[in-house]
Structure formats: structure tokens, C-alpha cells
Amino acid sequence: MSGAERSGGSSGWVEVSADALQANIAAFRETIGQEVALGVVLKADAYGHGLDQVLPAVHPLVDVLHVVTARDAARVRGWEAARGAARRRVLVLGVVDADEAVALAAAGVEVVVGDRSWRSIAARLAEVGGPTLAVHLHLDSGLGREGFLGEELDEVLGWLHAAGGAIAVVGALTHFADVEDVTEHAYASRQLEVFHAGVARLERGLAALGRPVPLETHTAASAAALVLPGSRCQQVRVGIALYGLWPSRETRLSLRVLGGPAVSLQPVLAWRCRSQAVRWIPAGSFVGYGCTHRCERATRVAVLPVGYFDGYPRLASHRAHVLVGGHRCPVLGRVMMNHLIVDVTDAPGDEEQVTATLIGRDGEEVVTADQLAGWAQTISYEIVARIGGHVPRQLVETAHDPQKFAGPAESG
Ligand SMILES: *Cc1c(COP(=O)(O)O)cnc(C)c1O
């Protein structure tokens, strides 16, 4: 089937590059060294890249897989069982209920204890008397999200210890509030101090109860893992950088200022679509809702079947570019629910249908998720995580050359 037959009416497709994922993992291994475990964060459907696509590429290469929901942990275990793959450590960062906690213990999944719902969950686990659930205690060192304050720890240890052999505390973690937005990290350093004081208190408490210490500690997400070597502890939890995106401009700058080895990240995702129509409209024509764009010349426009429903941000109206034939083409007027209209007058060729790259490379040109985020006044995290779940994802070895590839087969 030709591309025209395949994807004329679809919202495009997302290509996920296995090579880029592997290169980013290798870059992190080199940065953190042998002593630190590499955890990767697969929450939010692998930051919008598709858990089903990302998992096969990263599973053999990393030490720990972090998810937010018990459901995603079950997806990982299901994938391993279906493939006969060795079990990786899986850690659930988010909220679970008592039934899920019982199931996670049975599946050998570790869980973060980060709020007071665990008082009753611990009691339930003791009652069920199933396999031991390994838990990591979340210490709130200054983000104000999940986790416990230092003075709460003795009480929390009390509930967990009361569950007897049903719960083993194996780790402690915290999450930074202010690494990405700044190039000086005084707040993060204070958080690290608060964390270490909390860990010392926890370990004293556990030892007094005859429980094993020391704990595995982990604090660093992508930015801290890159720019705060002292935060790496025993494990890092790399999210955005796994996908080849820098946490922020400040992180990139900080790394340069620190004079550390250059880290090269390769963007993993490309988002493309085939045009729904390509047409000439006369000079003076308006384009899109609100008549906010008027063509000054006879204009060849491509109508793309992608809009804000699909996760293309409406705030990018009038500002964004897409790539067609290796050429930058401006988005004309407003992004609509299911459409955007781009100016392809200066793009090469005169085909009746074109392939547009919304994020990714086409020839010598690139539109990065960061650029699209800039046009839409947000961050790359939100851009990729919000690409609609209905847009097909496809794991490819390397990013396709859009001039030769017309999109995945209908079933993809
Ligand atoms: C999302 C998340 C991470 C990963 O953050 P990145 O900035 O994407 O690397 C790490 N730890 C926790 C607790 C998270 O919620």
C-alpha cells in the first residue's frame, strides 16, 4: 500500500528510535560510572513515546524500571513473562491501594511509601500474609509533594514494622524541586542535607528494630544526575534525558560551567503525518478560524490532519514550523482541533500529498520538542507526554528518512 492510501486521514504516527534510546543509556552509564545503578522512568506511557515501544529497547540495558501506577508495573511483568525475559527491578513511584499492594508483592515489584494511606495498607499486607513487599520510603526534603517529614519517620516506621515480614524497607528516596530552573543549586544542596539527615534517622530506627540497614538511597532525576554528582547516591532515576531531551537550558548550561565531559543526548521521537490535502489558494485568502492569517501571495497550503486533539498545542498557532521535504514550513493561522494548515509554497516538489514532520528531523532541518515547547510556552515534557494515545507509535531502529518512508502500516 502506498502512504497515500495508508494514512491520509490519520493523525500521523510517532517513530521511536531504538538506537537513540540505547545511545542515551550509554551516555548515562558513562556519566554515572559503574557504582551507580541506572533507573529509568517510564511513567506517562514512557513520556508519550509508548511504553510498549520503549520497554523492549531499554529493558535489557538498565537496572531499574520506574513507573507510577501498579497497572504499568503489571504491564512490565506481563511483557517479561510473554518474552521469557529475566525480571528487572520495577519500582512503583505513585499511589497504590491495598489490593494493588498485595498484587505487587506477589509480582516482586517494589513500591514507594509516600503518604499516610500506608498505615492501613501495611495492616492489610500483614493480614494477607503473602510474600514480602519491598518498599522505599519517600522523604519530603522540600518539594512539598509526596513523602514524609523527618519528624514523621518514627511513626511511619512503627506502622511498617507492625506488618512484620510482610514489609521490608529497602530504600529511601527524595525528589528535587529546583535543579532544572537554576544554574546554582543551593536549594538542592539543602534538600540533600535534609534527605541524608532523614536517612540517618530511618537507619537508626530500623537498626533498633533489628531490621537490615543500610538502605539503598536515590534522589537524582535527569538534571541532578547530570549536574550534581553528589546526588547520584546508589541509583539515579532518569526520565526526560532517556528520551534524548535536556531537562532545561539551565541544565545544559550548568554542565558546561561545571566543565564536565560533554554529554550528547539523541532525541528519540519523531512525529510525522501525511497531508490530507495540498492546494493552491489565491493571494488575499484567509486561512483558519478567526481569519487571523491572510496570504499575501498565491499560496500552496498543506492541510495536515493533526490538531490540538492529537496533542499539537494550540498556543503554537502562528508561530510553529513543520518540515516538508527538508524545508521549514510555517503554520498559518490557528491550530484547530483536528487540523493545522502549513505553507508549503517554498517546499520542493509539487506532489498531491506530502509528509510533514511535526517533531524530528527531515533532511538537514530539525524541529525539536524544545522548539515546539517554546512556541507553545511550555516545556518539552508536556509536549511529548501529551501526544494523543491514539497516535500509533512504532519502534524503529533509527529515525526514518521521511522522503523515503510513508508511514507505518495500518495495523501499526
Ligand atoms: C518524573 C520523575 C523522575 C524523572 O524526572 P526527569 O526530570 O524526567 O528525569 C524522577 N523521580 C521522580 C520521583 C519522578 O516523579
Side-chain angles (χ1 to χ4, degrees), residues 222-259:
S222 300
L226 288 165
V227 302
L228 295 174
S231 72
R232 290 177 195 150
C233 302
Q234 274 92 55
Q235 193 204 137
V236 295
R237 306 183 302 262
V238 177
I240 197 77
L242 171 68
Y243 307 98
L245 302 173
W246 284 83
S248 65
R249 207 170 291 179
E250 288 79 1
T251 303
R252 217 166 171 162
L253 208 65
S254 298
L255 198 61
R256 199 166 299 172
V257 169
L258 289 173

PDB file of all heavy atoms in Angstrom, residues 222-259:
ATOM      1  N   SER A 222      16.908  13.307  35.964  1.00  0.00           N
ATOM      2  CA  SER A 222      17.890  13.585  34.898  1.00  0.00           C
ATOM      3  C   SER A 222      18.825  14.735  35.229  1.00  0.00           C
ATOM      4  O   SER A 222      20.051  14.599  35.135  1.00  0.00           O
ATOM      5  CB  SER A 222      17.171  13.924  33.588  1.00  0.00           C
ATOM      6  OG  SER A 222      16.362  12.869  33.159  1.00  0.00           O
ATOM      7  N   ALA A 223      18.253  15.881  35.593  1.00  0.00           N
ATOM      8  CA  ALA A 223      19.075  17.085  35.743  1.00  0.00           C
ATOM      9  C   ALA A 223      20.108  16.907  36.855  1.00  0.00           C
ATOM     10  O   ALA A 223      21.294  17.194  36.662  1.00  0.00           O
ATOM     11  CB  ALA A 223      18.195  18.300  36.015  1.00  0.00           C
ATOM     12  N   ALA A 224      19.655  16.415  38.015  1.00  0.00           N
ATOM     13  CA  ALA A 224      20.589  16.246  39.123  1.00  0.00           C
ATOM     14  C   ALA A 224      21.645  15.200  38.776  1.00  0.00           C
ATOM     15  O   ALA A 224      22.824  15.358  39.102  1.00  0.00           O
ATOM     16  CB  ALA A 224      19.839  15.861  40.397  1.00  0.00           C
ATOM     17  N   ALA A 225      21.237  14.131  38.103  1.00  0.00           N
ATOM     18  CA  ALA A 225      22.208  13.095  37.735  1.00  0.00           C
ATOM     19  C   ALA A 225      23.313  13.678  36.868  1.00  0.00           C
ATOM     20  O   ALA A 225      24.468  13.265  36.941  1.00  0.00           O
ATOM     21  CB  ALA A 225      21.513  11.953  36.999  1.00  0.00           C
ATOM     22  N   LEU A 226      22.951  14.692  36.057  1.00  0.00           N
ATOM     23  CA  LEU A 226      23.945  15.299  35.171  1.00  0.00           C
ATOM     24  C   LEU A 226      24.809  16.331  35.889  1.00  0.00           C
ATOM     25  O   LEU A 226      26.021  16.346  35.698  1.00  0.00           O
ATOM     26  CB  LEU A 226      23.229  15.967  33.979  1.00  0.00           C
ATOM     27  CG  LEU A 226      22.627  14.995  32.962  1.00  0.00           C
ATOM     28  CD1 LEU A 226      21.648  15.714  32.035  1.00  0.00           C
ATOM     29  CD2 LEU A 226      23.724  14.326  32.148  1.00  0.00           C
ATOM     30  N   VAL A 227      24.182  17.186  36.696  1.00  0.00           N
ATOM     31  CA  VAL A 227      24.934  18.345  37.190  1.00  0.00           C
ATOM     32  C   VAL A 227      25.273  18.312  38.676  1.00  0.00           C
ATOM     33  O   VAL A 227      26.019  19.157  39.137  1.00  0.00           O
ATOM     34  CB  VAL A 227      24.208  19.676  36.863  1.00  0.00           C
ATOM     35  CG1 VAL A 227      23.985  19.813  35.357  1.00  0.00           C
ATOM     36  CG2 VAL A 227      22.890  19.807  37.604  1.00  0.00           C
ATOM     37  N   LEU A 228      24.726  17.358  39.419  1.00  0.00           N
ATOM     38  CA  LEU A 228      25.037  17.279  40.855  1.00  0.00           C
ATOM     39  C   LEU A 228      25.556  15.878  41.187  1.00  0.00           C
ATOM     40  O   LEU A 228      24.803  15.030  41.670  1.00  0.00           O
ATOM     41  CB  LEU A 228      23.783  17.542  41.693  1.00  0.00           C
ATOM     42  CG  LEU A 228      23.139  18.916  41.617  1.00  0.00           C
ATOM     43  CD1 LEU A 228      21.835  18.926  42.404  1.00  0.00           C
ATOM     44  CD2 LEU A 228      24.094  19.970  42.160  1.00  0.00           C
ATOM     45  N   PRO A 229      26.828  15.623  40.934  1.00  0.00           N
ATOM     46  CA  PRO A 229      27.360  14.272  41.155  1.00  0.00           C
ATOM     47  C   PRO A 229      27.070  13.760  42.564  1.00  0.00           C
ATOM     48  O   PRO A 229      26.840  12.566  42.750  1.00  0.00           O
ATOM     49  CB  PRO A 229      28.861  14.441  40.921  1.00  0.00           C
ATOM     50  CG  PRO A 229      28.983  15.645  40.035  1.00  0.00           C
ATOM     51  CD  PRO A 229      27.835  16.553  40.390  1.00  0.00           C
ATOM     52  N   GLY A 230      27.039  14.663  43.547  1.00  0.00           N
ATOM     53  CA  GLY A 230      26.796  14.249  44.928  1.00  0.00           C
ATOM     54  C   GLY A 230      25.393  13.729  45.167  1.00  0.00           C
ATOM     55  O   GLY A 230      25.099  13.190  46.234  1.00  0.00           O
ATOM     56  N   SER A 231      24.505  13.894  44.186  1.00  0.00           N
ATOM     57  CA  SER A 231      23.123  13.450  44.351  1.00  0.00           C
ATOM     58  C   SER A 231      22.901  12.042  43.801  1.00  0.00           C
ATOM     59  O   SER A 231      21.816  11.507  43.912  1.00  0.00           O
ATOM     60  CB  SER A 231      22.186  14.413  43.623  1.00  0.00           C
ATOM     61  OG  SER A 231      22.318  14.254  42.212  1.00  0.00           O
ATOM     62  N   ARG A 232      23.921  11.459  43.201  1.00  0.00           N
ATOM     63  CA  ARG A 232      23.680  10.182  42.488  1.00  0.00           C
ATOM     64  C   ARG A 232      23.445   9.013  43.447  1.00  0.00           C
ATOM     65  O   ARG A 232      22.794   8.042  43.074  1.00  0.00           O
ATOM     66  CB  ARG A 232      24.844   9.889  41.539  1.00  0.00           C
ATOM     67  CG  ARG A 232      24.858  10.847  40.353  1.00  0.00           C
ATOM     68  CD  ARG A 232      26.054  10.630  39.439  1.00  0.00           C
ATOM     69  NE  ARG A 232      26.217  11.779  38.544  1.00  0.00           N
ATOM     70  CZ  ARG A 232      27.380  12.181  38.060  1.00  0.00           C
ATOM     71  NH1 ARG A 232      28.494  11.541  38.355  1.00  0.00           N
ATOM     72  NH2 ARG A 232      27.432  13.226  37.265  1.00  0.00           N
ATOM     73  N   CYS A 233      23.993   9.095  44.646  1.00  0.00           N
ATOM     74  CA  CYS A 233      23.783   8.040  45.658  1.00  0.00           C
ATOM     75  C   CYS A 233      23.976   6.653  45.037  1.00  0.00           C
ATOM     76  O   CYS A 233      24.926   6.450  44.291  1.00  0.00           O
ATOM     77  CB  CYS A 233      22.407   8.191  46.299  1.00  0.00           C
ATOM     78  SG  CYS A 233      22.157   9.803  47.072  1.00  0.00           S
ATOM     79  N   GLN A 234      23.038   5.711  45.325  1.00  0.00           N
ATOM     80  CA  GLN A 234      23.224   4.351  44.788  1.00  0.00           C
ATOM     81  C   GLN A 234      22.499   4.139  43.456  1.00  0.00           C
ATOM     82  O   GLN A 234      22.682   3.145  42.789  1.00  0.00           O
ATOM     83  CB  GLN A 234      22.710   3.292  45.767  1.00  0.00           C
ATOM     84  CG  GLN A 234      23.731   2.892  46.801  1.00  0.00           C
ATOM     85  CD  GLN A 234      23.590   3.742  48.034  1.00  0.00           C
ATOM     86  OE1 GLN A 234      22.521   3.817  48.614  1.00  0.00           O
ATOM     87  NE2 GLN A 234      24.667   4.389  48.424  1.00  0.00           N
ATOM     88  N   GLN A 235      21.602   5.088  43.130  1.00  0.00           N
ATOM     89  CA  GLN A 235      20.818   4.899  41.912  1.00  0.00           C
ATOM     90  C   GLN A 235      20.360   6.260  41.402  1.00  0.00           C
ATOM     91  O   GLN A 235      20.077   7.156  42.201  1.00  0.00           O
ATOM     92  CB  GLN A 235      19.574   4.033  42.237  1.00  0.00           C
ATOM     93  CG  GLN A 235      18.856   3.516  41.008  1.00  0.00           C
ATOM     94  CD  GLN A 235      17.384   3.171  41.230  1.00  0.00           C
ATOM     95  OE1 GLN A 235      16.544   3.484  40.420  1.00  0.00           O
ATOM     96  NE2 GLN A 235      17.086   2.485  42.340  1.00  0.00           N
ATOM     97  N   VAL A 236      20.245   6.406  40.100  1.00  0.00           N
ATOM     98  CA  VAL A 236      19.619   7.610  39.538  1.00  0.00           C
ATOM     99  C   VAL A 236      18.319   7.195  38.852  1.00  0.00           C
ATOM    100  O   VAL A 236      18.164   6.039  38.436  1.00  0.00           O
ATOM    101  CB  VAL A 236      20.549   8.343  38.543  1.00  0.00           C
ATOM    102  CG1 VAL A 236      21.787   8.876  39.255  1.00  0.00           C
ATOM    103  CG2 VAL A 236      20.945   7.428  37.373  1.00  0.00           C
ATOM    104  N   ARG A 237      17.392   8.144  38.763  1.00  0.00           N
ATOM    105  CA  ARG A 237      16.088   7.890  38.114  1.00  0.00           C
ATOM    106  C   ARG A 237      15.965   8.821  36.917  1.00  0.00           C
ATOM    107  O   ARG A 237      15.496   9.950  37.033  1.00  0.00           O
ATOM    108  CB  ARG A 237      14.941   8.171  39.094  1.00  0.00           C
ATOM    109  CG  ARG A 237      15.029   7.435  40.429  1.00  0.00           C
ATOM    110  CD  ARG A 237      13.804   7.727  41.284  1.00  0.00           C
ATOM    111  NE  ARG A 237      13.601   9.130  41.560  1.00  0.00           N
ATOM    112  CZ  ARG A 237      13.981   9.760  42.681  1.00  0.00           C
ATOM    113  NH1 ARG A 237      14.591   9.098  43.647  1.00  0.00           N
ATOM    114  NH2 ARG A 237      13.735  11.050  42.829  1.00  0.00           N
ATOM    115  N   VAL A 238      16.396   8.337  35.767  1.00  0.00           N
ATOM    116  CA  VAL A 238      16.490   9.194  34.588  1.00  0.00           C
ATOM    117  C   VAL A 238      15.197   9.114  33.786  1.00  0.00           C
ATOM    118  O   VAL A 238      14.797   8.039  33.338  1.00  0.00           O
ATOM    119  CB  VAL A 238      17.679   8.756  33.706  1.00  0.00           C
ATOM    120  CG1 VAL A 238      17.732   9.593  32.434  1.00  0.00           C
ATOM    121  CG2 VAL A 238      18.974   8.892  34.496  1.00  0.00           C
ATOM    122  N   GLY A 239      14.550  10.240  33.626  1.00  0.00           N
ATOM    123  CA  GLY A 239      13.324  10.309  32.830  1.00  0.00           C
ATOM    124  C   GLY A 239      13.583  11.000  31.510  1.00  0.00           C
ATOM    125  O   GLY A 239      14.006  10.386  30.530  1.00  0.00           O
ATOM    126  N   ILE A 240      13.403  12.309  31.469  1.00  0.00           N
ATOM    127  CA  ILE A 240      13.396  13.063  30.208  1.00  0.00           C
ATOM    128  C   ILE A 240      14.648  12.821  29.372  1.00  0.00           C
ATOM    129  O   ILE A 240      14.584  12.743  28.141  1.00  0.00           O
ATOM    130  CB  ILE A 240      13.193  14.580  30.482  1.00  0.00           C
ATOM    131  CG1 ILE A 240      12.770  15.325  29.222  1.00  0.00           C
ATOM    132  CG2 ILE A 240      14.433  15.213  31.108  1.00  0.00           C
ATOM    133  CD1 ILE A 240      11.339  15.145  28.837  1.00  0.00           C
ATOM    134  N   ALA A 241      15.807  12.667  30.023  1.00  0.00           N
ATOM    135  CA  ALA A 241      17.048  12.527  29.260  1.00  0.00           C
ATOM    136  C   ALA A 241      17.149  11.162  28.577  1.00  0.00           C
ATOM    137  O   ALA A 241      17.828  11.023  27.558  1.00  0.00           O
ATOM    138  CB  ALA A 241      18.261  12.759  30.161  1.00  0.00           C
ATOM    139  N   LEU A 242      16.449  10.152  29.108  1.00  0.00           N
ATOM    140  CA  LEU A 242      16.392   8.863  28.415  1.00  0.00           C
ATOM    141  C   LEU A 242      15.835   9.059  27.005  1.00  0.00           C
ATOM    142  O   LEU A 242      16.243   8.376  26.061  1.00  0.00           O
ATOM    143  CB  LEU A 242      15.499   7.878  29.193  1.00  0.00           C
ATOM    144  CG  LEU A 242      15.166   6.567  28.478  1.00  0.00           C
ATOM    145  CD1 LEU A 242      16.420   5.694  28.342  1.00  0.00           C
ATOM    146  CD2 LEU A 242      14.061   5.805  29.194  1.00  0.00           C
ATOM    147  N   TYR A 243      14.916  10.010  26.899  1.00  0.00           N
ATOM    148  CA  TYR A 243      14.249  10.258  25.624  1.00  0.00           C
ATOM    149  C   TYR A 243      15.013  11.268  24.766  1.00  0.00           C
ATOM    150  O   TYR A 243      14.512  11.747  23.756  1.00  0.00           O
ATOM    151  CB  TYR A 243      12.800  10.696  25.895  1.00  0.00           C
ATOM    152  CG  TYR A 243      12.106   9.703  26.795  1.00  0.00           C
ATOM    153  CD1 TYR A 243      11.991   9.918  28.168  1.00  0.00           C
ATOM    154  CD2 TYR A 243      11.658   8.483  26.287  1.00  0.00           C
ATOM    155  CE1 TYR A 243      11.412   8.971  29.015  1.00  0.00           C
ATOM    156  CE2 TYR A 243      11.083   7.535  27.117  1.00  0.00           C
ATOM    157  CZ  TYR A 243      10.974   7.782  28.476  1.00  0.00           C
ATOM    158  OH  TYR A 243      10.422   6.833  29.295  1.00  0.00           O
ATOM    159  N   GLY A 244      16.215  11.608  25.225  1.00  0.00           N
ATOM    160  CA  GLY A 244      17.095  12.457  24.429  1.00  0.00           C
ATOM    161  C   GLY A 244      16.798  13.933  24.540  1.00  0.00           C
ATOM    162  O   GLY A 244      17.268  14.717  23.711  1.00  0.00           O
ATOM    163  N   LEU A 245      16.021  14.315  25.560  1.00  0.00           N
ATOM    164  CA  LEU A 245      15.666  15.721  25.725  1.00  0.00           C
ATOM    165  C   LEU A 245      16.361  16.256  26.975  1.00  0.00           C
ATOM    166  O   LEU A 245      16.397  15.576  28.005  1.00  0.00           O
ATOM    167  CB  LEU A 245      14.147  15.867  25.846  1.00  0.00           C
ATOM    168  CG  LEU A 245      13.380  15.306  24.649  1.00  0.00           C
ATOM    169  CD1 LEU A 245      11.878  15.342  24.918  1.00  0.00           C
ATOM    170  CD2 LEU A 245      13.717  16.076  23.380  1.00  0.00           C
ATOM    171  N   TRP A 246      16.880  17.471  26.891  1.00  0.00           N
ATOM    172  CA  TRP A 246      17.507  18.100  28.057  1.00  0.00           C
ATOM    173  C   TRP A 246      16.429  18.587  28.997  1.00  0.00           C
ATOM    174  O   TRP A 246      15.411  19.133  28.554  1.00  0.00           O
ATOM    175  CB  TRP A 246      18.422  19.239  27.615  1.00  0.00           C
ATOM    176  CG  TRP A 246      19.693  18.706  27.054  1.00  0.00           C
ATOM    177  CD1 TRP A 246      19.916  18.261  25.779  1.00  0.00           C
ATOM    178  CD2 TRP A 246      20.908  18.495  27.766  1.00  0.00           C
ATOM    179  NE1 TRP A 246      21.202  17.789  25.652  1.00  0.00           N
ATOM    180  CE2 TRP A 246      21.837  17.928  26.851  1.00  0.00           C
ATOM    181  CE3 TRP A 246      21.323  18.727  29.076  1.00  0.00           C
ATOM    182  CZ2 TRP A 246      23.139  17.586  27.218  1.00  0.00           C
ATOM    183  CZ3 TRP A 246      22.610  18.400  29.440  1.00  0.00           C
ATOM    184  CH2 TRP A 246      23.517  17.835  28.527  1.00  0.00           C
ATOM    185  N   PRO A 247      16.637  18.398  30.310  1.00  0.00           N
ATOM    186  CA  PRO A 247      15.631  18.866  31.267  1.00  0.00           C
ATOM    187  C   PRO A 247      15.343  20.355  31.106  1.00  0.00           C
ATOM    188  O   PRO A 247      14.209  20.790  31.296  1.00  0.00           O
ATOM    189  CB  PRO A 247      16.268  18.574  32.626  1.00  0.00           C
ATOM    190  CG  PRO A 247      17.240  17.474  32.358  1.00  0.00           C
ATOM    191  CD  PRO A 247      17.758  17.703  30.967  1.00  0.00           C
ATOM    192  N   SER A 248      16.376  21.117  30.763  1.00  0.00           N
ATOM    193  CA  SER A 248      16.204  22.558  30.597  1.00  0.00           C
ATOM    194  C   SER A 248      17.485  23.122  29.993  1.00  0.00           C
ATOM    195  O   SER A 248      18.526  22.472  29.978  1.00  0.00           O
ATOM    196  CB  SER A 248      15.974  23.240  31.948  1.00  0.00           C
ATOM    197  OG  SER A 248      17.144  23.104  32.745  1.00  0.00           O
ATOM    198  N   ARG A 249      17.381  24.365  29.530  1.00  0.00           N
ATOM    199  CA  ARG A 249      18.550  25.082  29.046  1.00  0.00           C
ATOM    200  C   ARG A 249      19.554  25.279  30.194  1.00  0.00           C
ATOM    201  O   ARG A 249      20.761  25.184  30.008  1.00  0.00           O
ATOM    202  CB  ARG A 249      18.069  26.451  28.553  1.00  0.00           C
ATOM    203  CG  ARG A 249      18.914  27.071  27.500  1.00  0.00           C
ATOM    204  CD  ARG A 249      18.209  28.274  26.920  1.00  0.00           C
ATOM    205  NE  ARG A 249      17.031  27.883  26.131  1.00  0.00           N
ATOM    206  CZ  ARG A 249      16.236  28.751  25.526  1.00  0.00           C
ATOM    207  NH1 ARG A 249      16.453  30.033  25.613  1.00  0.00           N
ATOM    208  NH2 ARG A 249      15.210  28.322  24.812  1.00  0.00           N
ATOM    209  N   GLU A 250      19.018  25.555  31.390  1.00  0.00           N
ATOM    210  CA  GLU A 250      19.893  25.800  32.543  1.00  0.00           C
ATOM    211  C   GLU A 250      20.723  24.559  32.875  1.00  0.00           C
ATOM    212  O   GLU A 250      21.879  24.674  33.287  1.00  0.00           O
ATOM    213  CB  GLU A 250      19.060  26.205  33.774  1.00  0.00           C
ATOM    214  CG  GLU A 250      18.464  27.602  33.695  1.00  0.00           C
ATOM    215  CD  GLU A 250      17.206  27.689  32.824  1.00  0.00           C
ATOM    216  OE1 GLU A 250      16.763  26.646  32.277  1.00  0.00           O
ATOM    217  OE2 GLU A 250      16.674  28.798  32.685  1.00  0.00           O
ATOM    218  N   THR A 251      20.116  23.379  32.702  1.00  0.00           N
ATOM    219  CA  THR A 251      20.854  22.148  32.985  1.00  0.00           C
ATOM    220  C   THR A 251      22.035  22.010  32.022  1.00  0.00           C
ATOM    221  O   THR A 251      23.154  21.670  32.413  1.00  0.00           O
ATOM    222  CB  THR A 251      19.932  20.926  32.847  1.00  0.00           C
ATOM    223  OG1 THR A 251      18.834  21.093  33.724  1.00  0.00           O
ATOM    224  CG2 THR A 251      20.657  19.642  33.177  1.00  0.00           C
ATOM    225  N   ARG A 252      21.771  22.327  30.770  1.00  0.00           N
ATOM    226  CA  ARG A 252      22.815  22.243  29.761  1.00  0.00           C
ATOM    227  C   ARG A 252      23.949  23.209  30.074  1.00  0.00           C
ATOM    228  O   ARG A 252      25.127  22.884  29.978  1.00  0.00           O
ATOM    229  CB  ARG A 252      22.178  22.595  28.418  1.00  0.00           C
ATOM    230  CG  ARG A 252      22.728  21.798  27.308  1.00  0.00           C
ATOM    231  CD  ARG A 252      21.870  21.919  26.077  1.00  0.00           C
ATOM    232  NE  ARG A 252      22.593  21.284  25.004  1.00  0.00           N
ATOM    233  CZ  ARG A 252      22.056  20.890  23.875  1.00  0.00           C
ATOM    234  NH1 ARG A 252      20.765  21.071  23.672  1.00  0.00           N
ATOM    235  NH2 ARG A 252      22.771  20.314  22.949  1.00  0.00           N
ATOM    236  N   LEU A 253      23.522  24.409  30.479  1.00  0.00           N
ATOM    237  CA  LEU A 253      24.483  25.454  30.820  1.00  0.00           C
ATOM    238  C   LEU A 253      25.298  25.069  32.054  1.00  0.00           C
ATOM    239  O   LEU A 253      26.516  25.217  32.086  1.00  0.00           O
ATOM    240  CB  LEU A 253      23.688  26.734  31.104  1.00  0.00           C
ATOM    241  CG  LEU A 253      24.368  28.055  30.840  1.00  0.00           C
ATOM    242  CD1 LEU A 253      24.644  28.202  29.348  1.00  0.00           C
ATOM    243  CD2 LEU A 253      23.446  29.199  31.300  1.00  0.00           C
ATOM    244  N   SER A 254      24.604  24.542  33.063  1.00  0.00           N
ATOM    245  CA  SER A 254      25.287  24.156  34.301  1.00  0.00           C
ATOM    246  C   SER A 254      26.371  23.140  34.009  1.00  0.00           C
ATOM    247  O   SER A 254      27.468  23.206  34.559  1.00  0.00           O
ATOM    248  CB  SER A 254      24.305  23.524  35.293  1.00  0.00           C
ATOM    249  OG  SER A 254      23.321  24.434  35.659  1.00  0.00           O
ATOM    250  N   LEU A 255      26.047  22.204  33.146  1.00  0.00           N
ATOM    251  CA  LEU A 255      27.003  21.147  32.849  1.00  0.00           C
ATOM    252  C   LEU A 255      28.232  21.741  32.175  1.00  0.00           C
ATOM    253  O   LEU A 255      29.366  21.358  32.472  1.00  0.00           O
ATOM    254  CB  LEU A 255      26.346  20.097  31.948  1.00  0.00           C
ATOM    255  CG  LEU A 255      27.049  18.765  31.893  1.00  0.00           C
ATOM    256  CD1 LEU A 255      27.103  18.124  33.275  1.00  0.00           C
ATOM    257  CD2 LEU A 255      26.327  17.824  30.925  1.00  0.00           C
ATOM    258  N   ARG A 256      27.997  22.709  31.310  1.00  0.00           N
ATOM    259  CA  ARG A 256      29.122  23.349  30.631  1.00  0.00           C
ATOM    260  C   ARG A 256      29.971  24.123  31.635  1.00  0.00           C
ATOM    261  O   ARG A 256      31.191  24.052  31.617  1.00  0.00           O
ATOM    262  CB  ARG A 256      28.589  24.281  29.535  1.00  0.00           C
ATOM    263  CG  ARG A 256      29.637  24.613  28.518  1.00  0.00           C
ATOM    264  CD  ARG A 256      29.041  25.234  27.270  1.00  0.00           C
ATOM    265  NE  ARG A 256      28.099  24.364  26.569  1.00  0.00           N
ATOM    266  CZ  ARG A 256      27.348  24.771  25.556  1.00  0.00           C
ATOM    267  NH1 ARG A 256      27.393  26.019  25.145  1.00  0.00           N
ATOM    268  NH2 ARG A 256      26.522  23.933  24.955  1.00  0.00           N
ATOM    269  N   VAL A 257      29.297  24.840  32.534  1.00  0.00           N
ATOM    270  CA  VAL A 257      30.014  25.640  33.535  1.00  0.00           C
ATOM    271  C   VAL A 257      30.847  24.732  34.443  1.00  0.00           C
ATOM    272  O   VAL A 257      31.965  25.050  34.825  1.00  0.00           O
ATOM    273  CB  VAL A 257      29.018  26.481  34.360  1.00  0.00           C
ATOM    274  CG1 VAL A 257      29.694  27.100  35.574  1.00  0.00           C
ATOM    275  CG2 VAL A 257      28.410  27.569  33.482  1.00  0.00           C
ATOM    276  N   LEU A 258      30.277  23.560  34.780  1.00  0.00           N
ATOM    277  CA  LEU A 258      30.997  22.613  35.627  1.00  0.00           C
ATOM    278  C   LEU A 258      32.208  22.029  34.913  1.00  0.00           C
ATOM    279  O   LEU A 258      33.072  21.432  35.542  1.00  0.00           O
ATOM    280  CB  LEU A 258      30.078  21.459  36.035  1.00  0.00           C
ATOM    281  CG  LEU A 258      28.975  21.792  37.033  1.00  0.00           C
ATOM    282  CD1 LEU A 258      28.054  20.597  37.202  1.00  0.00           C
ATOM    283  CD2 LEU A 258      29.583  22.188  38.370  1.00  0.00           C
ATOM    284  N   GLY A 259      32.229  22.170  33.589  1.00  0.00           N
ATOM    285  CA  GLY A 259      33.356  21.658  32.830  1.00  0.00           C
ATOM    286  C   GLY A 259      33.418  20.145  32.784  1.00  0.00           C
ATOM    287  O   GLY A 259      34.456  19.565  32.521  1.00  0.00           O
TER     288      GLY A 259
END
